């Protein structure tokens, strides 16, 4: 699965872009950070019940997004972080008011 070609200009009106790859069963989240395009991926399991999105704090159709972060390359240790987020990223972008939760997630994945 190759992500669409993106430039920072694509993010003028969007906080983030995301898509689901059925082949790998992973959801990809891409955003503009410090002038370049950064992405992360994780498993995504749609929830049968509506819930509050971790990113935009709105009630709606959500799914459990889990990223695995490597903590120890030698011993193949991972720590997982799971959050319920919107299934519809367009809806999510329309409601998102601050990027604090997204920032945290990206920092977490980058090991900060
Ligand atoms: Zn949302």
């Amino acid at each position: 699965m190759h992500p669409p070609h993106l430039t920072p200009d694509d993010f003028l009106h969007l906080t983030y872009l995301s898509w689901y790859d059925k082949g790998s069963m992973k959801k990809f989240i891409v955003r503009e950070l410090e002038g370049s395009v950064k992405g992360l991926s994780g498993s995504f399991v749609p929830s049968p019940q509506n819930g509050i999105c971790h990113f935009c704090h709105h009630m709606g159709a959500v799914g459990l997004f889990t990223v695995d972060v490597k903590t120890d390359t030698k011993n193949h240790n991972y720590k997982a972080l799971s959050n319920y987020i919107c299934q519809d990223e367009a809806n999510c972008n329309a409601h998102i008011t601050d990027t604090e939760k997204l920032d945290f997630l990206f920092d977490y994945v980058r090991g900060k």
Side-chain angles (χ1 to χ4, degrees):
M1 164 84 193
H2 294 285
H5 180 72
L6 297 167
T7 67
D9 284 350
D10 291 318
F11 296 91
L12 285 175
H13 304 291
L14 288 172
T15 306
Y16 72 91
L17 276 169
S18 92
W19 66 94
Y20 182 72
D21 177 36
K22 282 190 180 134
S24 62
M25 289 170 59
K26 288 203 158 193
K27 190 179 183 75
F28 292 77
I29 292 183
V30 172
R31 64 187 295 223
E32 188 262 322
L33 265 183
E34 293 151 14
S36 60
V37 178
K38 301 260 197 286
L40 56 83
S41 65
S43 64
F44 188 73
V45 182
S47 168
Q49 284 159 355
N50 280 359
I52 306 252
C53 170
H54 184 68
F55 293 156
C56 69
H57 312 294
H58 268 250
M59 187 82 170
V62 292
L64 189 63
F65 181 61
T66 303
V67 290
D68 288 319
V69 178
K70 222 179 251 187
T71 55
D72 181 344
T73 318
K74 209 193 269 176
N75 296 311
H76 302 288
N77 285 335
Y78 289 87
K79 53 178 179 173
L81 183 70
S82 297
N83 291 300
Y84 282 99
I85 61 169
C86 287
Q87 289 183 25
D88 180 355
E89 73 274 11
N91 203 25
C92 197
N93 271 283
H95 289 124
I96 215 161
T97 53
D98 72 65
T99 60
E100 188 196 334
K101 305 290 188 196
L102 261 177
D103 291 342
F104 177 82
L105 187 63
F106 273 72
D107 283 349
Y108 184 88
V109 169
R110 292 200 288 175
K112 277 193 184 171

